Short mmCIF file of all heavy atoms in Angstrom, two decimals:
data_model
loop_
_atom_site.label_atom_id
_atom_site.label_comp_id
_atom_site.label_asym_id
_atom_site.label_seq_id
_atom_site.Cartn_x
_atom_site.Cartn_y
_atom_site.Cartn_z
N MET A 1 62.15 -27.63 -12.15
CA MET A 1 63.20 -28.43 -11.56
C MET A 1 62.76 -28.98 -10.22
O MET A 1 62.27 -28.23 -9.39
CB MET A 1 64.44 -27.59 -11.32
CG MET A 1 65.21 -27.23 -12.53
SD MET A 1 66.93 -27.33 -12.13
CE MET A 1 67.50 -27.45 -13.78
N GLY A 2 62.95 -30.25 -10.04
CA GLY A 2 62.58 -30.89 -8.78
C GLY A 2 63.76 -30.97 -7.84
O GLY A 2 64.89 -30.67 -8.19
N ALA A 3 63.47 -31.37 -6.64
CA ALA A 3 64.52 -31.54 -5.64
C ALA A 3 65.29 -32.83 -5.92
O ALA A 3 64.75 -33.78 -6.48
CB ALA A 3 63.91 -31.60 -4.26
N ILE A 4 66.51 -32.84 -5.53
CA ILE A 4 67.34 -34.04 -5.69
C ILE A 4 66.95 -35.02 -4.59
O ILE A 4 66.92 -34.67 -3.41
CB ILE A 4 68.83 -33.69 -5.57
CG1 ILE A 4 69.23 -32.75 -6.70
CG2 ILE A 4 69.66 -34.95 -5.59
CD1 ILE A 4 70.65 -32.24 -6.58
N GLU A 5 66.64 -36.24 -4.98
CA GLU A 5 66.28 -37.26 -4.00
C GLU A 5 67.38 -38.30 -3.93
O GLU A 5 67.76 -38.88 -4.94
CB GLU A 5 64.96 -37.92 -4.38
CG GLU A 5 63.78 -36.99 -4.25
CD GLU A 5 62.46 -37.71 -4.44
OE1 GLU A 5 62.42 -38.93 -4.18
OE2 GLU A 5 61.52 -37.05 -4.86
N ILE A 6 67.89 -38.51 -2.75
CA ILE A 6 68.94 -39.49 -2.51
C ILE A 6 68.38 -40.56 -1.60
O ILE A 6 67.88 -40.27 -0.51
CB ILE A 6 70.18 -38.83 -1.87
CG1 ILE A 6 70.74 -37.77 -2.80
CG2 ILE A 6 71.21 -39.88 -1.53
CD1 ILE A 6 71.85 -36.95 -2.18
N GLU A 7 68.43 -41.80 -2.03
CA GLU A 7 67.93 -42.90 -1.20
C GLU A 7 69.07 -43.42 -0.33
O GLU A 7 70.17 -43.65 -0.79
CB GLU A 7 67.41 -44.02 -2.09
CG GLU A 7 66.19 -43.62 -2.85
CD GLU A 7 65.22 -44.76 -3.01
OE1 GLU A 7 65.44 -45.81 -2.39
OE2 GLU A 7 64.27 -44.58 -3.76
N VAL A 8 68.78 -43.55 0.95
CA VAL A 8 69.76 -44.03 1.92
C VAL A 8 69.21 -45.29 2.56
O VAL A 8 68.07 -45.32 3.01
CB VAL A 8 70.03 -42.96 3.00
CG1 VAL A 8 71.04 -43.45 4.00
CG2 VAL A 8 70.49 -41.65 2.37
N ASP A 9 70.03 -46.33 2.57
CA ASP A 9 69.61 -47.59 3.19
C ASP A 9 69.46 -47.39 4.70
O ASP A 9 70.26 -46.68 5.31
CB ASP A 9 70.64 -48.68 2.94
CG ASP A 9 70.69 -49.09 1.48
OD1 ASP A 9 69.65 -48.95 0.81
OD2 ASP A 9 71.74 -49.54 1.03
N PRO A 10 68.46 -48.04 5.31
CA PRO A 10 68.30 -47.91 6.76
C PRO A 10 69.45 -48.60 7.49
O PRO A 10 69.84 -49.71 7.15
CB PRO A 10 66.98 -48.59 7.06
CG PRO A 10 66.69 -49.44 5.89
CD PRO A 10 67.42 -48.85 4.72
N LEU A 11 70.01 -47.91 8.46
CA LEU A 11 71.07 -48.47 9.29
C LEU A 11 70.45 -48.99 10.58
O LEU A 11 69.46 -48.43 11.07
CB LEU A 11 72.12 -47.40 9.63
CG LEU A 11 72.90 -46.83 8.46
CD1 LEU A 11 73.76 -45.67 8.94
CD2 LEU A 11 73.75 -47.90 7.83
N PRO A 12 71.03 -50.03 11.18
CA PRO A 12 70.49 -50.51 12.45
C PRO A 12 70.94 -49.63 13.62
O PRO A 12 72.01 -49.03 13.58
CB PRO A 12 71.07 -51.91 12.57
CG PRO A 12 72.33 -51.86 11.79
CD PRO A 12 72.09 -50.89 10.68
N CYS A 13 70.11 -49.58 14.65
CA CYS A 13 70.49 -48.91 15.90
C CYS A 13 71.70 -49.66 16.46
O CYS A 13 71.73 -50.90 16.43
CB CYS A 13 69.32 -48.96 16.88
SG CYS A 13 69.71 -48.36 18.53
N LYS A 14 72.68 -48.94 16.97
CA LYS A 14 73.89 -49.60 17.50
C LYS A 14 73.62 -50.36 18.79
O LYS A 14 74.42 -51.18 19.19
CB LYS A 14 74.99 -48.57 17.73
CG LYS A 14 75.59 -48.07 16.46
CD LYS A 14 76.82 -47.26 16.74
CE LYS A 14 77.55 -46.99 15.46
NZ LYS A 14 78.96 -46.93 15.64
N TRP A 15 72.49 -50.10 19.44
CA TRP A 15 72.19 -50.79 20.69
C TRP A 15 71.22 -51.94 20.48
O TRP A 15 71.47 -53.05 20.92
CB TRP A 15 71.62 -49.81 21.71
CG TRP A 15 71.45 -50.43 23.06
CD1 TRP A 15 70.30 -50.87 23.60
CD2 TRP A 15 72.47 -50.71 24.01
NE1 TRP A 15 70.53 -51.40 24.84
CE2 TRP A 15 71.87 -51.31 25.12
CE3 TRP A 15 73.85 -50.52 24.02
CZ2 TRP A 15 72.59 -51.72 26.23
CZ3 TRP A 15 74.56 -50.91 25.14
CH2 TRP A 15 73.93 -51.51 26.22
N CYS A 16 70.09 -51.71 19.79
CA CYS A 16 69.05 -52.75 19.70
C CYS A 16 68.92 -53.35 18.30
O CYS A 16 68.10 -54.24 18.10
CB CYS A 16 67.71 -52.19 20.14
SG CYS A 16 67.04 -50.92 19.05
N GLU A 17 69.69 -52.89 17.34
CA GLU A 17 69.71 -53.42 15.96
C GLU A 17 68.42 -53.19 15.19
O GLU A 17 68.20 -53.81 14.17
CB GLU A 17 70.05 -54.92 15.97
CG GLU A 17 71.38 -55.25 16.59
CD GLU A 17 72.56 -54.70 15.80
OE1 GLU A 17 72.50 -54.70 14.57
OE2 GLU A 17 73.53 -54.26 16.44
N ARG A 18 67.54 -52.31 15.67
CA ARG A 18 66.31 -52.00 14.95
C ARG A 18 66.65 -51.07 13.79
O ARG A 18 67.40 -50.11 13.96
CB ARG A 18 65.31 -51.33 15.89
CG ARG A 18 63.98 -51.07 15.24
CD ARG A 18 62.94 -50.65 16.21
NE ARG A 18 63.36 -49.48 16.97
CZ ARG A 18 62.72 -49.00 18.01
NH1 ARG A 18 61.66 -49.61 18.47
NH2 ARG A 18 63.16 -47.94 18.63
N PRO A 19 66.14 -51.32 12.57
CA PRO A 19 66.45 -50.44 11.44
C PRO A 19 65.90 -49.03 11.66
O PRO A 19 64.78 -48.87 12.15
CB PRO A 19 65.79 -51.10 10.24
CG PRO A 19 64.98 -52.20 10.75
CD PRO A 19 65.29 -52.43 12.20
N LEU A 20 66.69 -48.04 11.32
CA LEU A 20 66.31 -46.64 11.52
C LEU A 20 66.09 -45.97 10.18
O LEU A 20 66.85 -46.15 9.24
CB LEU A 20 67.42 -45.89 12.25
CG LEU A 20 67.80 -46.41 13.61
CD1 LEU A 20 69.05 -45.71 14.10
CD2 LEU A 20 66.67 -46.19 14.57
N GLU A 21 65.03 -45.18 10.12
CA GLU A 21 64.78 -44.38 8.92
C GLU A 21 65.80 -43.25 8.87
O GLU A 21 65.99 -42.51 9.84
CB GLU A 21 63.37 -43.79 8.99
CG GLU A 21 63.04 -42.90 7.82
CD GLU A 21 61.69 -42.24 7.99
OE1 GLU A 21 60.89 -42.69 8.84
OE2 GLU A 21 61.45 -41.27 7.27
N GLN A 22 66.50 -43.15 7.76
CA GLN A 22 67.51 -42.11 7.60
C GLN A 22 66.92 -40.94 6.83
O GLN A 22 66.57 -41.07 5.68
CB GLN A 22 68.73 -42.67 6.86
CG GLN A 22 69.39 -43.83 7.55
CD GLN A 22 69.92 -43.47 8.92
OE1 GLN A 22 70.47 -42.39 9.12
NE2 GLN A 22 69.76 -44.36 9.86
N ARG A 23 66.79 -39.80 7.49
CA ARG A 23 66.22 -38.62 6.85
C ARG A 23 67.28 -37.74 6.22
O ARG A 23 66.99 -36.95 5.35
CB ARG A 23 65.42 -37.81 7.87
CG ARG A 23 64.25 -38.58 8.41
CD ARG A 23 63.48 -37.77 9.40
NE ARG A 23 62.44 -38.61 9.98
CZ ARG A 23 61.89 -38.37 11.15
NH1 ARG A 23 62.25 -37.34 11.85
NH2 ARG A 23 60.97 -39.19 11.61
N ARG A 24 68.50 -37.85 6.71
CA ARG A 24 69.58 -37.01 6.20
C ARG A 24 70.73 -37.90 5.74
O ARG A 24 71.18 -38.76 6.48
CB ARG A 24 70.09 -36.08 7.30
CG ARG A 24 69.00 -35.24 7.91
CD ARG A 24 69.54 -34.48 9.08
NE ARG A 24 70.15 -35.40 10.05
CZ ARG A 24 70.06 -35.26 11.36
NH1 ARG A 24 69.43 -34.26 11.87
NH2 ARG A 24 70.63 -36.12 12.16
N TRP A 25 71.23 -37.70 4.56
CA TRP A 25 72.35 -38.51 4.08
C TRP A 25 73.66 -38.02 4.65
O TRP A 25 74.63 -38.76 4.76
CB TRP A 25 72.39 -38.53 2.55
CG TRP A 25 72.53 -37.18 1.92
CD1 TRP A 25 71.53 -36.37 1.51
CD2 TRP A 25 73.74 -36.49 1.63
NE1 TRP A 25 72.02 -35.21 1.00
CE2 TRP A 25 73.38 -35.25 1.05
CE3 TRP A 25 75.09 -36.78 1.81
CZ2 TRP A 25 74.33 -34.32 0.66
CZ3 TRP A 25 76.03 -35.85 1.40
CH2 TRP A 25 75.65 -34.64 0.84
N TRP A 26 73.74 -36.74 5.06
CA TRP A 26 75.00 -36.19 5.54
C TRP A 26 75.24 -36.46 7.03
O TRP A 26 76.36 -36.34 7.50
CB TRP A 26 75.06 -34.69 5.28
CG TRP A 26 74.05 -33.89 6.04
CD1 TRP A 26 74.20 -33.38 7.29
CD2 TRP A 26 72.74 -33.55 5.63
NE1 TRP A 26 73.07 -32.73 7.68
CE2 TRP A 26 72.15 -32.82 6.67
CE3 TRP A 26 72.01 -33.78 4.48
CZ2 TRP A 26 70.85 -32.33 6.59
CZ3 TRP A 26 70.72 -33.28 4.41
CH2 TRP A 26 70.16 -32.57 5.45
N ALA A 27 74.20 -36.81 7.78
CA ALA A 27 74.35 -37.11 9.21
C ALA A 27 73.40 -38.25 9.57
O ALA A 27 72.30 -38.01 10.07
CB ALA A 27 74.05 -35.88 10.04
N PRO A 28 73.79 -39.49 9.32
CA PRO A 28 72.88 -40.62 9.58
C PRO A 28 72.64 -40.82 11.07
O PRO A 28 73.50 -40.57 11.91
CB PRO A 28 73.62 -41.81 8.98
CG PRO A 28 75.04 -41.42 8.96
CD PRO A 28 75.08 -39.93 8.79
N LYS A 29 71.41 -41.25 11.39
CA LYS A 29 71.08 -41.58 12.78
C LYS A 29 71.75 -42.89 13.14
O LYS A 29 71.80 -43.81 12.35
CB LYS A 29 69.57 -41.74 12.94
CG LYS A 29 68.80 -40.44 12.91
CD LYS A 29 67.32 -40.67 13.03
CE LYS A 29 66.95 -41.16 14.39
NZ LYS A 29 65.51 -41.27 14.60
N ARG A 30 72.26 -42.99 14.35
CA ARG A 30 72.91 -44.21 14.81
C ARG A 30 72.15 -44.90 15.92
O ARG A 30 72.39 -46.07 16.19
CB ARG A 30 74.32 -43.89 15.29
CG ARG A 30 75.18 -43.33 14.20
CD ARG A 30 76.54 -43.03 14.70
NE ARG A 30 77.30 -42.30 13.71
CZ ARG A 30 78.55 -41.96 13.85
NH1 ARG A 30 79.18 -42.28 14.94
NH2 ARG A 30 79.17 -41.31 12.90
N PHE A 31 71.29 -44.16 16.61
CA PHE A 31 70.53 -44.71 17.73
C PHE A 31 69.07 -44.35 17.56
O PHE A 31 68.74 -43.30 17.03
CB PHE A 31 71.05 -44.14 19.05
CG PHE A 31 72.51 -44.41 19.28
CD1 PHE A 31 73.46 -43.47 18.96
CD2 PHE A 31 72.92 -45.62 19.79
CE1 PHE A 31 74.80 -43.71 19.14
CE2 PHE A 31 74.26 -45.88 19.99
CZ PHE A 31 75.20 -44.93 19.66
N CYS A 32 68.17 -45.22 18.06
CA CYS A 32 66.74 -44.95 17.90
C CYS A 32 66.22 -43.98 18.96
O CYS A 32 65.19 -43.36 18.75
CB CYS A 32 65.93 -46.24 17.88
SG CYS A 32 66.15 -47.31 19.28
N ASN A 33 66.91 -43.84 20.08
CA ASN A 33 66.52 -42.84 21.06
C ASN A 33 67.72 -42.47 21.92
O ASN A 33 68.78 -43.08 21.84
CB ASN A 33 65.33 -43.31 21.91
CG ASN A 33 65.62 -44.57 22.68
OD1 ASN A 33 66.70 -44.73 23.23
ND2 ASN A 33 64.66 -45.48 22.73
N ARG A 34 67.53 -41.45 22.77
CA ARG A 34 68.67 -40.96 23.54
C ARG A 34 69.12 -41.93 24.61
O ARG A 34 70.29 -41.93 24.98
CB ARG A 34 68.35 -39.61 24.15
CG ARG A 34 67.22 -39.63 25.14
CD ARG A 34 66.90 -38.23 25.62
NE ARG A 34 65.72 -38.26 26.45
CZ ARG A 34 65.62 -37.61 27.58
NH1 ARG A 34 66.60 -36.86 27.99
NH2 ARG A 34 64.52 -37.69 28.27
N TRP A 35 68.23 -42.80 25.11
CA TRP A 35 68.64 -43.76 26.15
C TRP A 35 69.55 -44.83 25.56
O TRP A 35 70.48 -45.29 26.23
CB TRP A 35 67.42 -44.38 26.81
CG TRP A 35 66.64 -43.35 27.55
CD1 TRP A 35 65.39 -42.92 27.25
CD2 TRP A 35 67.06 -42.57 28.66
NE1 TRP A 35 65.00 -41.93 28.11
CE2 TRP A 35 66.01 -41.69 28.99
CE3 TRP A 35 68.24 -42.51 29.41
CZ2 TRP A 35 66.12 -40.78 30.05
CZ3 TRP A 35 68.32 -41.61 30.45
CH2 TRP A 35 67.28 -40.77 30.76
N HIS A 36 69.31 -45.22 24.33
CA HIS A 36 70.19 -46.19 23.69
C HIS A 36 71.56 -45.58 23.44
O HIS A 36 72.58 -46.25 23.57
CB HIS A 36 69.58 -46.71 22.40
CG HIS A 36 68.46 -47.68 22.63
ND1 HIS A 36 67.84 -48.34 21.60
CD2 HIS A 36 67.87 -48.12 23.76
CE1 HIS A 36 66.91 -49.13 22.11
NE2 HIS A 36 66.91 -49.00 23.41
N ARG A 37 71.58 -44.29 23.10
CA ARG A 37 72.87 -43.60 22.93
C ARG A 37 73.62 -43.56 24.26
O ARG A 37 74.83 -43.84 24.31
CB ARG A 37 72.65 -42.19 22.40
CG ARG A 37 73.94 -41.44 22.21
CD ARG A 37 73.80 -40.04 21.68
NE ARG A 37 72.45 -39.53 21.68
CZ ARG A 37 71.90 -38.90 20.66
NH1 ARG A 37 72.56 -38.72 19.56
NH2 ARG A 37 70.67 -38.43 20.76
N LEU A 38 72.91 -43.25 25.35
CA LEU A 38 73.54 -43.19 26.67
C LEU A 38 74.05 -44.57 27.09
O LEU A 38 75.18 -44.69 27.57
CB LEU A 38 72.55 -42.66 27.70
CG LEU A 38 73.07 -42.55 29.13
CD1 LEU A 38 74.20 -41.55 29.21
CD2 LEU A 38 71.95 -42.19 30.06
N LYS A 39 73.24 -45.61 26.92
CA LYS A 39 73.67 -46.97 27.27
C LYS A 39 74.91 -47.37 26.49
O LYS A 39 75.84 -47.98 27.04
CB LYS A 39 72.56 -47.97 26.99
CG LYS A 39 71.39 -47.91 27.93
CD LYS A 39 70.35 -48.94 27.49
CE LYS A 39 69.08 -48.83 28.27
NZ LYS A 39 68.08 -49.81 27.81
N PHE A 40 74.95 -47.03 25.20
CA PHE A 40 76.09 -47.37 24.37
C PHE A 40 77.35 -46.66 24.85
O PHE A 40 78.41 -47.26 24.95
CB PHE A 40 75.79 -46.99 22.91
CG PHE A 40 76.86 -47.39 21.94
CD1 PHE A 40 76.97 -48.69 21.49
CD2 PHE A 40 77.77 -46.46 21.48
CE1 PHE A 40 77.95 -49.06 20.60
CE2 PHE A 40 78.76 -46.81 20.59
CZ PHE A 40 78.85 -48.12 20.15
N ARG A 41 77.23 -45.38 25.19
CA ARG A 41 78.39 -44.60 25.67
C ARG A 41 78.89 -45.13 27.01
O ARG A 41 80.10 -45.21 27.23
CB ARG A 41 78.04 -43.12 25.80
CG ARG A 41 77.67 -42.47 24.51
CD ARG A 41 78.85 -42.30 23.60
NE ARG A 41 78.44 -41.59 22.40
CZ ARG A 41 78.81 -41.92 21.18
NH1 ARG A 41 79.61 -42.93 20.98
NH2 ARG A 41 78.40 -41.23 20.16
N VAL A 42 77.97 -45.47 27.92
CA VAL A 42 78.37 -46.01 29.23
C VAL A 42 79.07 -47.35 29.05
O VAL A 42 80.11 -47.61 29.67
CB VAL A 42 77.15 -46.12 30.16
CG1 VAL A 42 77.47 -46.91 31.42
CG2 VAL A 42 76.64 -44.72 30.53
N ALA A 43 78.52 -48.21 28.20
CA ALA A 43 79.15 -49.51 27.95
C ALA A 43 80.53 -49.33 27.31
O ALA A 43 81.48 -50.05 27.65
CB ALA A 43 78.26 -50.36 27.05
N GLN A 44 80.65 -48.36 26.42
CA GLN A 44 81.94 -48.07 25.80
C GLN A 44 82.95 -47.60 26.84
O GLN A 44 84.12 -48.02 26.84
CB GLN A 44 81.75 -46.96 24.76
CG GLN A 44 82.35 -47.22 23.45
CD GLN A 44 82.06 -46.09 22.47
OE1 GLN A 44 81.55 -45.03 22.82
NE2 GLN A 44 82.40 -46.32 21.24
N PHE A 45 82.51 -46.73 27.74
CA PHE A 45 83.38 -46.21 28.79
C PHE A 45 83.89 -47.33 29.69
O PHE A 45 85.09 -47.43 29.96
CB PHE A 45 82.64 -45.15 29.61
CG PHE A 45 83.41 -44.68 30.82
CD1 PHE A 45 84.48 -43.82 30.67
CD2 PHE A 45 83.07 -45.13 32.08
CE1 PHE A 45 85.20 -43.40 31.77
CE2 PHE A 45 83.78 -44.71 33.19
CZ PHE A 45 84.85 -43.84 33.03
N PHE A 46 82.97 -48.19 30.17
CA PHE A 46 83.39 -49.27 31.06
C PHE A 46 84.25 -50.29 30.33
O PHE A 46 85.14 -50.89 30.92
CB PHE A 46 82.18 -49.93 31.73
CG PHE A 46 81.63 -49.10 32.86
CD1 PHE A 46 80.37 -48.57 32.77
CD2 PHE A 46 82.39 -48.86 33.98
CE1 PHE A 46 79.86 -47.80 33.81
CE2 PHE A 46 81.90 -48.10 35.03
CZ PHE A 46 80.62 -47.56 34.94
N GLY A 47 84.01 -50.50 29.05
CA GLY A 47 84.89 -51.37 28.26
C GLY A 47 86.29 -50.79 28.16
O GLY A 47 87.28 -51.51 28.27
N PHE A 48 86.38 -49.48 27.98
CA PHE A 48 87.68 -48.81 27.92
C PHE A 48 88.41 -48.93 29.26
O PHE A 48 89.60 -49.24 29.30
CB PHE A 48 87.50 -47.34 27.53
CG PHE A 48 88.77 -46.55 27.56
CD1 PHE A 48 89.72 -46.72 26.58
CD2 PHE A 48 89.01 -45.65 28.58
CE1 PHE A 48 90.91 -46.00 26.61
CE2 PHE A 48 90.19 -44.91 28.62
CZ PHE A 48 91.13 -45.10 27.62
N VAL A 49 87.68 -48.69 30.36
CA VAL A 49 88.29 -48.79 31.69
C VAL A 49 88.78 -50.22 31.95
O VAL A 49 89.87 -50.43 32.48
CB VAL A 49 87.28 -48.34 32.77
CG1 VAL A 49 87.79 -48.67 34.17
CG2 VAL A 49 87.02 -46.85 32.65
N ALA A 50 87.98 -51.22 31.55
CA ALA A 50 88.39 -52.62 31.74
C ALA A 50 89.65 -52.93 30.93
O ALA A 50 90.53 -53.67 31.41
CB ALA A 50 87.25 -53.55 31.35
N ASP A 51 89.77 -52.38 29.71
CA ASP A 51 90.96 -52.60 28.91
C ASP A 51 92.19 -51.96 29.53
O ASP A 51 93.28 -52.53 29.51
CB ASP A 51 90.77 -52.04 27.50
CG ASP A 51 89.89 -52.91 26.63
OD1 ASP A 51 89.69 -54.09 26.99
OD2 ASP A 51 89.42 -52.42 25.59
N VAL A 52 92.01 -50.78 30.10
CA VAL A 52 93.13 -50.08 30.72
C VAL A 52 93.61 -50.80 31.97
O VAL A 52 94.81 -50.90 32.22
CB VAL A 52 92.73 -48.61 31.06
CG1 VAL A 52 93.77 -47.94 31.92
CG2 VAL A 52 92.52 -47.82 29.77
N LEU A 53 92.67 -51.32 32.76
CA LEU A 53 93.04 -51.98 34.01
C LEU A 53 93.62 -53.37 33.81
O LEU A 53 94.30 -53.89 34.70
CB LEU A 53 91.83 -52.05 34.95
CG LEU A 53 91.32 -50.70 35.44
CD1 LEU A 53 90.07 -50.90 36.30
CD2 LEU A 53 92.39 -49.97 36.22
N SER A 54 93.35 -54.00 32.69
CA SER A 54 93.86 -55.38 32.49
C SER A 54 95.18 -55.39 31.78
O SER A 54 95.74 -54.48 31.37
CB SER A 54 92.86 -56.19 31.70
OG SER A 54 92.63 -55.63 30.43
#
């Protein structure tokens, strides 16, 4: 018996749109590195603050 192989389409990085290799189907990668994750979170935070203040 062989292992079950599930093919997962590459998703783009949420910051730079570069396709990411998906190694796990149950927890897909969303960012290509930790700095892109941080930039995305900071931009999200300031967008939220701007919405609240306006």
Side-chain angles (χ1 to χ4, degrees):
M1 286 219 161
I4 297 174
E5 292 188 26
I6 299 173
E7 293 215 9
V8 180
D9 292 332
L11 296 173
C13 172
K14 288 190 169 213
W15 187 258
C16 67
E17 301 294 323
R18 184 170 56 190
L20 301 171
E21 177 185 344
Q22 301 298 321
R23 297 180 186 157
R24 305 173 304 218
W25 59 268
W26 65 88
K29 286 178 69 174
R30 298 180 189 184
F31 302 97
C32 56
N33 60 41
R34 63 184 174 136
W35 296 114
H36 285 185
R37 180 180 12 226
L38 179 64
K39 288 178 187 179
F40 184 79
R41 297 289 184 223
V42 169
Q44 228 178 9
F45 173 75
F46 283 115
F48 175 74
V49 170
D51 284 344
V52 169
L53 294 177
S54 60

